[in-house]
């Protein structure tokens, strides 16, 4: 199943409280449960004025539907082509 990176513009994201982040996470999980398709939210990074999310599902339209239902921005949605890390250098 494809993995997607979602860039969400959210001014002040890095200043959100633990409670606000918990509310966002609860809403996201609720929407995932309601989609009726295979969908996994792996994790998100909160940095500066953005939230970067890693989701796995059938296509980008499903990612956008998750965002629409949750009231989340989904400013850029891209499919991951490859994953590399330090071990990649070893061949």
């Amino acid at each position: 199943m494809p993995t997607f990176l979602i860039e969400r513009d959210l001014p002040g994201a890095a200043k959100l409280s633990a409670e606000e982040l918990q509310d966002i996470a609860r809403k996201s999980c609720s929407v995932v449960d309601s989609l009726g398709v295979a969908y996994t939210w792996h994790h998100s990074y909160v940095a500066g004025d953005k939230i970067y999310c890693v989701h796995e599902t059938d296509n980008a339209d499903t990612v956008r539907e998750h965002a629409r239902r949750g009231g989340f921005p989904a400013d850029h949605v891209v499919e991951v082509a490859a994953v590399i890390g330090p071990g990649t250098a070893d061949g």
Side-chain angles (χ1 to χ4, degrees):
M1 185 171 313
T3 298
F4 295 89
L5 296 179
I6 304 104
E7 181 180 330
R8 306 181 191 282
D9 292 328
L10 189 63
K15 296 178 183 174
L16 292 169
S17 69
E19 293 80 17
E20 290 169 316
L21 292 171
Q22 184 178 44
D23 289 345
I24 291 169
R26 285 180 176 158
K27 180 66 175 181
S28 181
C29 289
S30 174
V31 172
V32 166
D33 291 343
S34 76
L35 287 171
V37 297
Y39 197 110
T40 302
W41 169 32
H42 289 285
H43 57 274
S44 297
Y45 300 98
V46 180
D49 290 329
K50 298 183 184 284
I51 299 179
Y52 301 92
C53 305
V54 180
H55 292 208
E56 188 176 327
T57 191
D58 55 350
N59 61 61
D61 289 337
T62 305
V63 172
R64 290 185 186 92
E65 178 63 14
H66 170 270
R68 186 192 68 75
R69 290 188 193 185
F72 310 123
D75 300 285
H76 299 285
V77 177
V78 294
E79 186 172 343
V80 174
V83 177
I84 66 170
T88 308
D90 297 333

